[in-house]
Coordinates of all heavy atoms in Angstrom, one line a residue:
R1 N 24.2 -2.9 -27.0 CA 24.3 -3.0 -25.6 C 23.6 -1.8 -24.9 O 22.9 -2.0 -24.0 CB 25.8 -3.0 -25.2 CG 26.0 -3.2 -23.7 CD 27.4 -3.5 -23.4 NE 27.3 -4.6 -22.5 CZ 28.3 -5.2 -21.9 NH1 29.6 -4.8 -22.3 NH2 28.2 -6.2 -21.1
V2 N 23.8 -0.6 -25.4 CA 23.1 0.6 -24.9 C 21.6 0.4 -25.2 O 20.8 0.8 -24.3 CB 23.7 1.9 -25.5 CG1 22.8 3.1 -25.1 CG2 25.1 2.0 -25.1
L3 N 21.2 -0.1 -26.3 CA 19.8 -0.3 -26.7 C 19.2 -1.2 -25.7 O 18.1 -1.0 -25.2 CB 19.7 -0.7 -28.1 CG 18.2 -0.9 -28.6 CD1 17.4 0.3 -28.5 CD2 18.2 -1.5 -30.0
F4 N 19.9 -2.3 -25.4 CA 19.4 -3.3 -24.4 C 19.2 -2.7 -23.1 O 18.2 -2.9 -22.4 CB 20.3 -4.5 -24.4 CG 19.9 -5.6 -23.4 CD1 18.9 -6.4 -23.6 CD2 20.6 -5.7 -22.1 CE1 18.4 -7.3 -22.7 CE2 20.2 -6.6 -21.2 CZ 19.1 -7.4 -21.5
R5 N 20.1 -1.9 -22.6 CA 20.0 -1.3 -21.4 C 18.9 -0.3 -21.3 O 18.1 -0.2 -20.3 CB 21.3 -0.5 -21.0 CG 21.7 -0.5 -19.6 CD 22.9 0.2 -19.3 NE 24.1 -0.5 -19.9 CZ 25.3 0.0 -20.1 NH1 25.5 1.2 -19.6 NH2 26.2 -0.6 -20.6
S6 N 18.6 0.4 -22.4 CA 17.5 1.4 -22.5 C 16.2 0.6 -22.5 O 15.3 1.0 -21.8 CB 17.6 2.1 -23.8 OG 16.5 3.0 -24.0
Q7 N 16.1 -0.5 -23.2 CA 14.9 -1.3 -23.2 C 14.6 -1.9 -21.8 O 13.5 -1.9 -21.3 CB 15.0 -2.4 -24.2 CG 14.9 -2.0 -25.6 CD 15.2 -3.1 -26.6 OE1 15.8 -4.1 -26.3 NE2 14.7 -2.9 -27.8
T8 N 15.7 -2.3 -21.1 CA 15.6 -2.9 -19.8 C 15.0 -1.8 -18.8 O 14.2 -2.1 -18.0 CB 16.9 -3.5 -19.3 OG1 17.3 -4.5 -20.2 CG2 16.8 -4.1 -17.9
S9 N 15.6 -0.6 -18.9 CA 15.2 0.5 -18.1 C 13.7 0.8 -18.3 O 12.9 1.1 -17.4 CB 16.0 1.7 -18.3 OG 17.3 1.5 -17.9
T10 N 13.3 0.8 -19.6 CA 11.9 1.1 -19.9 C 11.0 0.1 -19.3 O 9.9 0.4 -18.7 CB 11.7 1.1 -21.5 OG1 12.6 2.1 -22.0 CG2 10.3 1.4 -21.8
V11 N 11.4 -1.2 -19.4 CA 10.6 -2.3 -18.7 C 10.5 -2.1 -17.2 O 9.4 -2.2 -16.6 CB 11.1 -3.7 -19.1 CG1 10.5 -4.8 -18.3 CG2 10.9 -3.9 -20.6
L12 N 11.7 -1.8 -16.7 CA 11.7 -1.6 -15.2 C 10.9 -0.5 -14.7 O 10.1 -0.5 -13.7 CB 13.1 -1.5 -14.7 CG 14.0 -2.7 -14.8 CD1 15.4 -2.4 -14.4 CD2 13.5 -3.8 -13.8
V13 N 10.9 0.6 -15.5 CA 10.1 1.8 -15.2 C 8.6 1.4 -15.2 O 7.8 1.8 -14.3 CB 10.4 3.0 -16.1 CG1 9.3 4.1 -16.0 CG2 11.7 3.6 -15.8
S14 N 8.2 0.7 -16.2 CA 6.8 0.2 -16.4 C 6.4 -0.6 -15.2 O 5.3 -0.5 -14.6 CB 6.6 -0.6 -17.6 OG 6.8 0.3 -18.8
I15 N 7.3 -1.6 -14.8 CA 7.0 -2.4 -13.6 C 6.8 -1.6 -12.4 O 6.0 -1.8 -11.5 CB 8.0 -3.5 -13.5 CG1 7.9 -4.5 -14.7 CG2 7.9 -4.2 -12.2 CD1 9.1 -5.4 -14.8
L16 N 7.8 -0.7 -12.2 CA 7.7 0.2 -11.0 C 6.5 1.1 -10.9 O 5.9 1.3 -9.9 CB 9.0 1.1 -10.9 CG 10.3 0.4 -10.5 CD1 11.5 1.2 -10.8 CD2 10.2 -0.1 -9.1
Q17 N 6.0 1.6 -12.1 CA 4.8 2.4 -12.2 C 3.6 1.5 -11.8 O 2.7 2.0 -11.0 CB 4.6 3.0 -13.5 CG 5.6 4.1 -13.8 CD 5.6 4.6 -15.2 OE1 5.3 3.9 -16.1 NE2 6.0 5.9 -15.3
M18 N 3.6 0.2 -12.2 CA 2.5 -0.6 -11.8 C 2.5 -0.9 -10.3 O 1.5 -0.9 -9.6 CB 2.6 -2.0 -12.6 CG 2.1 -1.9 -14.0 SD 2.1 -3.5 -14.8 CE 3.8 -3.7 -15.3
L19 N 3.7 -1.1 -9.8 CA 3.9 -1.4 -8.3 C 3.4 -0.1 -7.5 O 2.8 -0.3 -6.5 CB 5.3 -1.7 -8.0 CG 5.7 -2.0 -6.6 CD1 4.9 -3.2 -6.1 CD2 7.2 -2.3 -6.4
K20 N 3.7 1.1 -8.0 CA 3.3 2.3 -7.4 C 1.8 2.4 -7.4 O 1.2 2.7 -6.4 CB 3.9 3.5 -8.1 CG 3.5 4.8 -7.4 CD 4.1 6.0 -8.1 CE 3.6 7.3 -7.5 NZ 4.1 8.4 -8.2
Q21 N 1.1 2.1 -8.5 CA -0.3 2.1 -8.6 C -0.9 1.2 -7.5 O -1.9 1.5 -6.9 CB -0.8 1.8 -9.9 CG -0.5 2.9 -11.0 CD -0.8 2.4 -12.4 OE1 -1.1 1.2 -12.7 NE2 -0.8 3.3 -13.4
Q22 N -0.4 0.0 -7.4 CA -0.9 -1.0 -6.4 C -0.7 -0.5 -5.0 O -1.5 -0.7 -4.1 CB -0.2 -2.3 -6.6 CG -0.6 -3.1 -7.8 CD -2.1 -3.3 -7.8 OE1 -2.7 -3.9 -6.8 NE2 -2.8 -3.0 -8.9
A23 N 0.5 0.2 -4.7 CA 0.7 0.7 -3.4 C -0.3 1.8 -3.0 O -0.8 1.9 -1.9 CB 2.1 1.2 -3.3
I24 N -0.6 2.7 -4.0 CA -1.6 3.7 -3.8 C -2.9 3.1 -3.5 O -3.7 3.5 -2.6 CB -1.6 4.7 -5.0 CG1 -0.2 5.5 -5.0 CG2 -2.8 5.7 -4.9 CD1 0.0 6.3 -6.3
Y25 N -3.3 2.1 -4.3 CA -4.6 1.4 -4.1 C -4.7 0.8 -2.8 O -5.6 0.9 -2.1 CB -4.8 0.4 -5.2 CG -6.0 -0.5 -5.0 CD1 -7.2 0.0 -5.3 CD2 -5.9 -1.8 -4.6 CE1 -8.4 -0.7 -5.1 CE2 -7.0 -2.5 -4.4 CZ -8.3 -2.0 -4.6 OH -9.4 -2.8 -4.5
L26 N -3.6 0.1 -2.3 CA -3.6 -0.5 -1.0 C -3.7 0.5 0.1 O -4.3 0.3 1.1 CB -2.3 -1.3 -0.8 CG -2.2 -2.7 -1.7 CD1 -0.9 -3.3 -1.5 CD2 -3.3 -3.6 -1.3
R27 N -3.1 1.7 -0.1 CA -3.2 2.7 0.9 C -4.6 3.2 1.0 O -5.2 3.3 2.2 CB -2.3 3.9 0.5 CG -2.3 5.0 1.6 CD -1.4 6.1 1.3 NE -1.5 6.6 0.0 CZ -0.6 7.5 -0.6 NH1 0.5 7.9 0.1 NH2 -0.7 7.9 -1.8
R28 N -5.3 3.3 -0.1 CA -6.8 3.7 0.0 C -7.6 2.6 0.6 O -8.5 2.9 1.4 CB -7.3 4.0 -1.4 CG -6.8 5.3 -2.0 CD -7.6 5.8 -3.2 NE -8.1 4.7 -4.1 CZ -7.5 4.4 -5.3 NH1 -6.4 5.1 -5.7 NH2 -8.0 3.5 -6.0
Q29 N -7.3 1.3 0.3 CA -8.0 0.2 0.9 C -7.8 0.2 2.4 O -8.7 -0.1 3.2 CB -7.6 -1.1 0.3 CG -8.1 -1.3 -1.1 CD -9.6 -1.4 -1.2 OE1 -10.3 -0.5 -1.4 NE2 -10.1 -2.7 -1.1
H30 N -6.6 0.4 2.8 CA -6.3 0.4 4.3 C -7.1 1.5 5.0 O -7.6 1.3 6.0 CB -4.8 0.7 4.5 CG -4.3 0.6 5.9 ND1 -4.0 1.8 6.6 CD2 -4.2 -0.4 6.8 CE1 -3.7 1.4 7.8 NE2 -3.8 0.1 7.9
G31 N -7.1 2.7 4.4 CA -7.9 3.8 4.9 C -9.4 3.4 5.0 O -10.1 3.7 6.0
W32 N -9.9 2.7 4.0 CA -11.3 2.3 4.0 C -11.6 1.3 5.1 O -12.6 1.4 5.8 CB -11.6 1.7 2.6 CG -13.1 1.3 2.5 CD1 -14.1 2.1 2.2 CD2 -13.6 0.0 2.7 NE1 -15.3 1.4 2.2 CE2 -15.0 0.1 2.5 CE3 -13.1 -1.2 3.1 CZ2 -15.9 -1.0 2.6 CZ3 -13.9 -2.3 3.2 CH2 -15.3 -2.2 3.0
M33 N -10.7 0.4 5.3 CA -10.8 -0.6 6.4 C -10.8 0.0 7.8 O -11.6 -0.3 8.6 CB -9.8 -1.7 6.3 CG -10.0 -2.7 5.1 SD -8.9 -4.1 5.2 CE -7.3 -3.3 4.7
I34 N -10.0 1.0 7.9 CA -9.9 1.7 9.2 C -11.3 2.5 9.4 O -11.8 2.4 10.5 CB -8.8 2.7 9.2 CG1 -7.5 2.0 9.3 CG2 -8.9 3.7 10.4 CD1 -6.2 2.9 9.1
A35 N -11.8 3.1 8.4 CA -13.1 3.8 8.5 C -14.2 2.9 8.9 O -15.0 3.1 9.7 CB -13.4 4.5 7.2
V36 N -14.2 1.7 8.2 CA -15.2 0.7 8.5 C -15.1 0.2 10.0 O -16.1 0.1 10.7 CB -15.2 -0.5 7.6 CG1 -16.1 -1.7 8.0 CG2 -15.6 -0.1 6.2
A37 N -13.9 -0.1 10.4 CA -13.7 -0.6 11.8 C -14.1 0.5 12.8 O -14.7 0.1 13.8 CB -12.2 -1.0 12.0
E38 N -13.7 1.7 12.6 CA -14.1 2.8 13.5 C -15.6 2.9 13.5 O -16.2 3.2 14.6 CB -13.5 4.1 13.1 CG -12.0 4.1 13.4 CD -11.3 5.4 13.0 OE1 -11.9 6.3 12.4 OE2 -10.1 5.5 13.2
T39 N -16.3 2.8 12.4 CA -17.8 2.9 12.4 C -18.4 1.7 13.1 O -19.3 1.9 13.9 CB -18.3 2.9 10.9 OG1 -17.7 4.0 10.2 CG2 -19.8 3.0 10.8
L40 N -17.8 0.5 13.0 CA -18.4 -0.6 13.7 C -18.2 -0.5 15.2 O -19.0 -1.0 16.0 CB -17.7 -1.9 13.2 CG -18.1 -2.3 11.7 CD1 -17.2 -3.6 11.4 CD2 -19.5 -2.6 11.6
R41 N -17.1 0.1 15.6 CA -16.8 0.2 17.0 C -17.8 1.1 17.7 O -18.0 1.1 18.9 CB -15.4 0.8 17.2 CG -14.3 -0.3 17.2 CD -13.0 0.3 17.6 NE -12.0 -0.3 16.8 CZ -11.2 0.4 15.9 NH1 -11.4 1.7 15.7 NH2 -10.3 -0.2 15.2
E42 N -18.5 2.0 16.9 CA -19.5 2.9 17.5 C -20.7 2.1 18.0 O -21.5 2.7 18.7 CB -19.8 4.0 16.5 CG -18.7 4.9 16.2 CD -19.0 5.9 15.2 OE1 -20.1 6.0 14.7 OE2 -18.0 6.7 14.8
K43 N -20.9 0.9 17.4 CA -22.1 0.1 17.8 C -21.7 -0.9 18.8 O -20.9 -1.8 18.5 CB -22.7 -0.6 16.6 CG -23.1 0.4 15.5 CD -24.5 1.0 15.8 CE -25.0 1.8 14.6 NZ -26.2 2.5 14.9
P44 N -22.1 -0.9 20.1 CA -21.6 -1.8 21.1 C -21.7 -3.3 20.7 O -20.8 -4.1 20.9 CB -22.5 -1.5 22.3 CG -22.9 -0.1 22.1 CD -23.1 0.1 20.6
E45 N -22.8 -3.7 20.0 CA -23.0 -5.1 19.7 C -22.0 -5.5 18.5 O -21.6 -6.6 18.5 CB -24.4 -5.4 19.3 CG -24.9 -4.7 18.0 CD -25.3 -3.2 18.1 OE1 -25.2 -2.6 19.2 OE2 -25.9 -2.7 17.1
L46 N -21.7 -4.5 17.7 CA -20.7 -4.9 16.6 C -19.3 -4.7 17.1 O -18.4 -5.5 16.6 CB -21.0 -3.9 15.4 CG -22.3 -4.1 14.7 CD1 -22.5 -3.1 13.6 CD2 -22.5 -5.5 14.2
K47 N -19.1 -3.8 18.0 CA -17.7 -3.7 18.5 C -17.2 -5.0 19.1 O -16.1 -5.4 18.9 CB -17.7 -2.5 19.6 CG -16.3 -2.3 20.2 CD -16.3 -1.3 21.3 CE -14.9 -1.2 21.8 NZ -14.9 -0.5 23.1
E48 N -18.1 -5.6 19.9 CA -17.7 -6.9 20.6 C -17.4 -8.0 19.5 O -16.4 -8.7 19.6 CB -18.8 -7.4 21.5 CG -18.4 -8.6 22.3 CD -19.6 -9.0 23.2 OE1 -20.2 -8.1 23.8 OE2 -19.7 -10.2 23.4
R49 N -18.2 -8.1 18.5 CA -18.0 -9.1 17.4 C -16.7 -8.7 16.7 O -16.0 -9.6 16.3 CB -19.2 -9.1 16.5 CG -20.4 -9.8 17.2 CD -21.6 -9.8 16.3 NE -21.3 -10.6 15.1 CZ -22.1 -10.6 14.0 NH1 -23.2 -9.9 14.0 NH2 -21.8 -11.3 13.0
L50 N -16.5 -7.5 16.4 CA -15.3 -7.0 15.7 C -14.0 -7.4 16.5 O -13.1 -8.0 15.9 CB -15.3 -5.5 15.4 CG -14.1 -4.9 14.8 CD1 -13.9 -5.4 13.4 CD2 -14.2 -3.4 14.8
E51 N -14.0 -7.2 17.7 CA -12.8 -7.5 18.6 C -12.6 -8.9 18.7 O -11.5 -9.4 19.0 CB -13.0 -6.8 19.9 CG -12.9 -5.2 19.8 CD -13.2 -4.5 21.1 OE1 -13.7 -5.1 22.0 OE2 -13.0 -3.3 21.1
Q52 N -13.6 -9.8 18.5 CA -13.5 -11.2 18.6 C -12.9 -11.8 17.3 O -12.5 -13.0 17.3 CB -14.8 -11.9 19.0 CG -15.2 -11.6 20.4 CD -16.6 -12.1 20.7 OE1 -17.3 -12.7 19.8 NE2 -17.1 -12.0 21.9
Q53 N -13.0 -11.1 16.2 CA -12.5 -11.6 14.9 C -11.0 -11.8 15.0 O -10.3 -11.0 15.5 CB -12.8 -10.5 13.9 CG -13.2 -11.0 12.5 CD -12.0 -11.6 11.7 OE1 -10.9 -11.2 11.9 NE2 -12.3 -12.5 10.9
P54 N -10.5 -13.0 14.5 CA -9.1 -13.3 14.7 C -8.1 -12.3 14.0 O -7.0 -12.2 14.5 CB -8.9 -14.7 14.0 CG -10.3 -15.1 13.7 CD -11.3 -14.0 13.9
F55 N -8.6 -11.6 13.0 CA -7.7 -10.7 12.3 C -7.7 -9.3 12.9 O -7.0 -8.4 12.5 CB -8.0 -10.6 10.8 CG -7.6 -11.9 10.1 CD1 -8.5 -12.7 9.6 CD2 -6.2 -12.2 9.9 CE1 -8.2 -13.9 9.0 CE2 -5.8 -13.4 9.3 CZ -6.8 -14.2 8.8
Y56 N -8.6 -9.1 13.9 CA -8.7 -7.7 14.5 C -7.5 -7.3 15.3 O -6.9 -8.1 16.1 CB -9.9 -7.7 15.4 CG -10.1 -6.4 16.2 CD1 -10.6 -5.3 15.5 CD2 -9.7 -6.3 17.5 CE1 -10.7 -4.1 16.2 CE2 -9.9 -5.1 18.1 CZ -10.3 -4.0 17.5 OH -10.4 -2.8 18.1
D57 N -7.0 -6.2 15.0 CA -5.8 -5.6 15.8 C -4.7 -6.5 16.1 O -4.6 -7.0 17.2 CB -6.4 -4.9 17.1 CG -5.4 -4.0 17.7 OD1 -4.4 -3.6 17.0 OD2 -5.5 -3.6 18.8
Q58 N -4.0 -6.8 15.1 CA -2.9 -7.8 15.2 C -1.6 -7.1 15.8 O -0.5 -7.6 15.6 CB -2.6 -8.5 13.9 CG -3.8 -9.3 13.4 CD -3.5 -10.0 12.1 OE1 -2.4 -9.9 11.6 NE2 -4.5 -10.6 11.6
G59 N -1.8 -6.0 16.3 CA -0.6 -5.3 16.9 C -0.3 -4.0 16.1 O -0.7 -3.8 15.0
P60 N 0.5 -3.2 16.7 CA 0.8 -1.9 16.0 C 1.7 -2.1 14.8 O 2.7 -2.9 14.8 CB 1.6 -1.1 17.1 CG 2.2 -2.1 18.0 CD 1.2 -3.3 18.0
R61 N 1.4 -1.4 13.7 CA 2.2 -1.5 12.5 C 2.1 -0.1 11.9 O 1.0 0.5 11.7 CB 1.6 -2.5 11.5 CG 1.8 -3.9 11.9 CD 1.4 -4.9 10.8 NE 2.2 -4.5 9.6 CZ 1.7 -4.9 8.4 NH1 0.6 -5.5 8.2 NH2 2.5 -4.6 7.4
P62 N 3.2 0.4 11.5 CA 3.2 1.8 10.9 C 2.9 1.7 9.4 O 3.7 2.1 8.5 CB 4.7 2.3 11.1 CG 5.5 1.0 11.2 CD 4.5 0.0 11.8
D63 N 1.7 1.2 9.1 CA 1.4 0.9 7.6 C 1.5 2.1 6.8 O 2.0 2.0 5.7 CB 0.0 0.3 7.6 CG -0.1 -1.0 8.2 OD1 0.7 -1.9 8.0 OD2 -1.1 -1.3 8.9
E64 N 1.0 3.2 7.2 CA 1.0 4.4 6.4 C 2.4 4.9 6.1 O 2.7 5.2 4.9 CB 0.2 5.6 7.0 CG 0.1 6.8 6.2 CD -0.6 6.6 4.8 OE1 -1.5 5.8 4.7 OE2 -0.2 7.3 3.9
K65 N 3.3 4.8 7.1 CA 4.6 5.2 6.9 C 5.3 4.2 5.9 O 6.1 4.7 5.0 CB 5.4 5.3 8.2 CG 6.8 5.8 8.0 CD 7.5 6.0 9.3 CE 8.9 6.6 9.0 NZ 9.7 6.7 10.1
I66 N 5.1 2.9 6.1 CA 5.7 1.9 5.2 C 5.3 2.2 3.8 O 6.1 2.2 2.9 CB 5.3 0.5 5.7 CG1 6.0 0.2 7.0 CG2 5.6 -0.5 4.6 CD1 5.4 -1.1 7.7
T67 N 4.0 2.4 3.6 CA 3.5 2.6 2.2 C 4.0 3.9 1.6 O 4.4 3.9 0.5 CB 1.9 2.6 2.2 OG1 1.4 1.4 2.8 CG2 1.4 2.7 0.8
E68 N 4.0 5.0 2.4 CA 4.5 6.2 1.8 C 6.0 6.1 1.5 O 6.4 6.6 0.5 CB 4.3 7.4 2.8 CG 4.6 8.7 2.3 CD 3.8 9.1 1.0 OE1 2.6 8.7 0.9 OE2 4.4 9.7 0.1
T69 N 6.8 5.5 2.3 CA 8.2 5.3 2.1 C 8.4 4.4 0.8 O 9.3 4.8 0.0 CB 8.9 4.6 3.3 OG1 8.7 5.4 4.4 CG2 10.4 4.4 3.0
M70 N 7.6 3.4 0.7 CA 7.7 2.6 -0.5 C 7.4 3.4 -1.8 O 8.1 3.3 -2.8 CB 6.7 1.4 -0.4 CG 6.8 0.5 -1.6 SD 5.8 -1.0 -1.5 CE 4.2 -0.4 -0.9
I71 N 6.4 4.2 -1.8 CA 6.0 5.0 -2.9 C 7.1 6.0 -3.2 O 7.5 6.2 -4.4 CB 4.7 5.7 -2.7 CG1 3.5 4.7 -2.7 CG2 4.4 6.8 -3.8 CD1 2.2 5.3 -2.2
Q72 N 7.7 6.6 -2.2 CA 8.9 7.5 -2.5 C 10.1 6.8 -3.1 O 10.7 7.4 -4.0 CB 9.2 8.2 -1.1 CG 8.2 9.2 -0.6 CD 8.6 9.7 0.8 OE1 9.6 9.3 1.4 NE2 7.8 10.6 1.3
R73 N 10.3 5.6 -2.6 CA 11.5 4.9 -3.2 C 11.2 4.4 -4.6 O 12.1 4.4 -5.4 CB 11.8 3.7 -2.3 CG 12.4 4.1 -1.0 CD 12.7 2.9 -0.1 NE 13.4 3.3 1.1 CZ 13.5 2.6 2.2 NH1 13.1 1.3 2.2 NH2 14.1 3.1 3.3
I74 N 9.9 4.1 -4.9 CA 9.6 3.7 -6.2 C 9.8 4.9 -7.2 O 10.3 4.8 -8.2 CB 8.1 3.2 -6.3 CG1 8.0 1.8 -5.7 CG2 7.6 3.1 -7.7 CD1 6.6 1.3 -5.4
D75 N 9.3 6.1 -6.7 CA 9.5 7.3 -7.5 C 11.0 7.6 -7.8 O 11.3 8.0 -8.9 CB 8.8 8.5 -6.8 CG 7.3 8.6 -7.0 OD1 6.8 8.0 -7.9 OD2 6.6 9.2 -6.1
A76 N 11.8 7.4 -6.8 CA 13.2 7.6 -6.9 C 13.8 6.7 -7.9 O 14.6 7.1 -8.8 CB 13.9 7.6 -5.5
L77 N 13.4 5.4 -7.9 CA 13.9 4.5 -8.9 C 13.5 4.8 -10.3 O 14.2 4.7 -11.2 CB 13.5 3.1 -8.5 CG 14.2 2.4 -7.3 CD1 13.5 1.2 -6.9 CD2 15.6 2.1 -7.7
I78 N 12.2 5.2 -10.4 CA 11.7 5.6 -11.7 C 12.5 6.8 -12.2 O 12.9 6.8 -13.4 CB 10.2 6.0 -11.6 CG1 9.4 4.7 -11.4 CG2 9.7 6.7 -12.9 CD1 7.9 4.9 -11.0
Q79 N 12.7 7.8 -11.4 CA 13.6 8.9 -11.8 C 14.9 8.5 -12.3 O 15.4 9.0 -13.3 CB 13.7 10.0 -10.7 CG 12.4 10.7 -10.4 CD 12.1 11.7 -11.5 OE1 12.9 12.0 -12.3 NE2 10.9 12.2 -11.5
E80 N 15.5 7.6 -11.5 CA 16.9 7.2 -11.8 C 16.9 6.4 -13.1 O 17.8 6.6 -13.9 CB 17.4 6.3 -10.7 CG 18.9 6.0 -10.8 CD 19.4 5.2 -9.6 OE1 19.0 5.6 -8.4 OE2 20.2 4.3 -9.8
L81 N 16.0 5.6 -13.4 CA 15.9 4.8 -14.6 C 15.6 5.6 -15.8 O 15.9 5.2 -16.9 CB 15.0 3.6 -14.4 CG 15.4 2.5 -13.5 CD1 14.3 1.5 -13.1 CD2 16.6 1.7 -14.1
S82 N 14.8 6.6 -15.6 CA 14.3 7.5 -16.7 C 15.4 8.4 -17.2 O 15.3 8.9 -18.4 CB 13.1 8.3 -16.2 OG 12.0 7.5 -15.9
H83 N 16.5 8.6 -16.5 CA 17.5 9.5 -17.0 C 18.7 8.8 -17.6 O 19.1 7.7 -17.5 CB 18.0 10.4 -15.8 CG 17.0 11.4 -15.4 ND1 15.7 11.3 -15.6 CD2 17.2 12.5 -14.6 CE1 15.1 12.3 -15.1 NE2 15.9 13.1 -14.5

C-alpha cells in the first residue's frame, strides 16, 4: 500500500512537472504575441487590420497573474508530493 502511494506520487509529480513546463511555454508564447501585436500597432495600415481581427482584444484578462499563480500552485503540489 505504501509502495502504491509512492508510485502514485511519483507519477503525479511527473505529470505536474509536464504541466509546469507547458505553463512556462504558454507564458513565453503570450509575451511573444504581445510583442508582435505592439509592433503591428506601430504601423497604421497594420494597426487597423489587427483591430478588425475577430480575436483581437477580447477584453481584459490577467493572464500573467493566472499563469504565475498556476506555476506556484504546481510547485507547491510537487513539493507536497515529493515529501
Side-chain angles (χ1 to χ4, degrees):
R1 183 168 228 182
V2 172
L3 180 61
F4 177 74
R5 213 177 300 165
S6 175
Q7 290 172 336
T8 301
S9 291
T10 301
V11 169
L12 289 173
V13 166
S14 295
I15 292 168
L16 287 167
Q17 287 171 335
M18 287 185 275
L19 183 60
K20 180 181 175 183
Q21 289 172 350
Q22 287 301 308
I24 291 168
Y25 174 76
L26 289 173
R27 180 173 54 190
R28 286 197 322 260
Q29 289 294 91
H30 182 253
W32 183 83
M33 287 188 289
I34 290 170
V36 169
E38 287 177 358
T39 302
L40 292 176
R41 279 191 217 108
E42 293 174 5
K43 303 279 186 187
E45 68 278 7
L46 295 177
K47 179 183 180 198
E48 184 178 324
R49 288 179 60 195
L50 175 67
E51 290 172 352
Q52 290 173 358
Q53 215 289 331
F55 290 108
Y56 175 77
D57 195 16
Q58 297 178 7
R61 290 189 54 204
D63 295 314
E64 183 60 33
K65 185 175 182 186
I66 290 168
T67 303
E68 188 58 38
T69 300
M70 180 173 50
I71 291 170
Q72 289 172 358
R73 288 180 179 164
I74 290 169
D75 281 338
L77 285 169
I78 289 171
Q79 288 287 347
E80 190 174 320
L81 288 168
S82 295
H83 291 20

